[in-house]
Amino acid sequence: SFVLTQPPSVSVAPGQTARLTCGGHIFGRRSVHWYQQKPGQAPVLVVYDDSDRPSGIPERFSGSNSGNTATLTITRVAVEDEAVYSCQVWDTTGDHPVFGGGTKLTVL
Amino acid sequence: EVQLLESGGGLVQPGGSLRLSCVASGFTFRDFAMGWVRQAPGQGLEWVSAISGSGGGTYYADSVKGRFTISRDNSKNMLFLQLHSLRAEDRAVYFCAKSPQGGWYGSEFFDSWGPGTLVAVSS
């Protein structure tokens, strides 16, 4: 089964830039998607197909995918961005989505 | 606005059964594949099952195959997940989620999620 590796936690000060990584074998050939999940709430799609944003998601959220690592970048981090961010790819072998373990972003 | 709302969770004994429901609104339900994703306490997201927009295709994670059954009623905009032979490791919040496509293969991601319903398995 495909494995996605995310650091458990990242801390950043308000107004700074947060870079959250997601590692996986032969990533460059798979689209990566990112979800934001606040405590007790449903996940929200913030980036899809590596770098596209759904409507309503601020431009501060951007994504990239190169080599074996995908990155979700949040510029001008705000307190309300504090959440767990999970990456996801489609496992073409099993034909189902696979999620990373999630990174808790703490805004200090 | 897309809205998804799950119900049916609760406490059940090991080996027991539950039926989860999800009511959808704000989009043409029959045009989109739907799925269930669960999250055990303090853990990451795990895909459980999915169904094509027409209901003709159903798909399961190996961990639940043979025990869970997904279905949908497009006339009522409802999605269901029947859970049988529940185990302690099935304890989780179960989310209903919408695919951006009608077919499951290549759906790639979920663009809307419900708030979830908690399934607890304990004697």
Side-chain angles (χ1 to χ4, degrees):
Chain A
S1 179
F2 199 77
V3 176
L4 302 180
T5 302
Q6 296 185 253
S9 62
V10 168
S11 298
V12 65
Q16 299 303 302
T17 296
R19 294 179 178 84
L20 311 180
T21 60
C22 177
H25 185 54
I26 60 172
F27 236 8
R29 286 188 272 156
R30 300 174 187 265
S31 291
V32 181
H33 321 288
W34 292 88
Y35 301 90
Q36 175 195 68
Q37 188 176 18
K38 297 181 180 179
Q41 297 186 21
V44 173
L45 181 70
V46 293
V47 166
Y48 66 96
D49 290 349
D50 295 335
S51 58
D52 291 335
R53 274 187 316 276
S55 60
I57 300 301
E59 291 183 4
R60 303 186 293 104
F61 289 81
S62 63
S64 63
N65 181 8
S66 178
N68 289 327
T69 302
T71 303
L72 174 68
T73 301
I74 310 171
T75 58
R76 303 184 301 282
V77 168
V79 173
E80 60 262 30
D81 298 333
E82 189 164 282
V84 173
Y85 292 84
S86 300
C87 59
Q88 178 245 305
V89 299
W90 186 265
D91 184 338
T92 54
T93 301
D95 273 318
H96 61 79
V98 174
F99 297 89
T103 296
K104 178 174 173 52
L105 175 66
T106 300
V107 182
L108 300 170
Chain B
E1 179 191 4
V2 172
Q3 291 193 333
L4 302 169
L5 184 62
E6 306 90 339
S7 61
L11 176 62
V12 62
Q13 292 186 338
S17 299
L18 274 179
R19 189 194 196 204
L20 307 184
S21 301
C22 172
V23 59
S25 62
F27 63 103
T28 305
F29 184 67
R30 64 179 179 272
D31 287 348
F32 296 95
M34 299 290 294
W36 290 95
V37 177
R38 68 184 179 184
Q39 186 171 37
Q43 302 299 309
L45 299 165
E46 179 192 16
W47 173 74
V48 172
S49 181
I51 187 168
S52 63
S54 67
T58 57
Y59 314 89
Y60 301 93
D62 289 342
S63 58
V64 306
K65 200 171 295 183
R67 299 188 299 122
F68 292 7
T69 302
I70 191 171
S71 62
R72 63 192 296 161
D73 184 339
N74 286 344
S75 69
K76 298 180 179 178
N77 290 358
M78 296 283 295
L79 176 72
F80 306 100
L81 187 68
Q82 181 70 53
L83 290 65
H84 290 297
S85 303
L86 282 162
R87 308 166 179 167
E89 56 264 35
D90 295 318
R91 174 190 170 94
V93 174
Y94 285 72
F95 297 101
C96 162
K98 171 187 169 291
S99 162
Q101 299 188 29
W104 177 240
Y105 292 114
S107 280
E108 284 287 342
F109 57 87
F110 294 109
D111 58 11
S112 296
W113 299 62
T117 186
L118 176 63
V119 172
V121 183
S122 175
S123 54

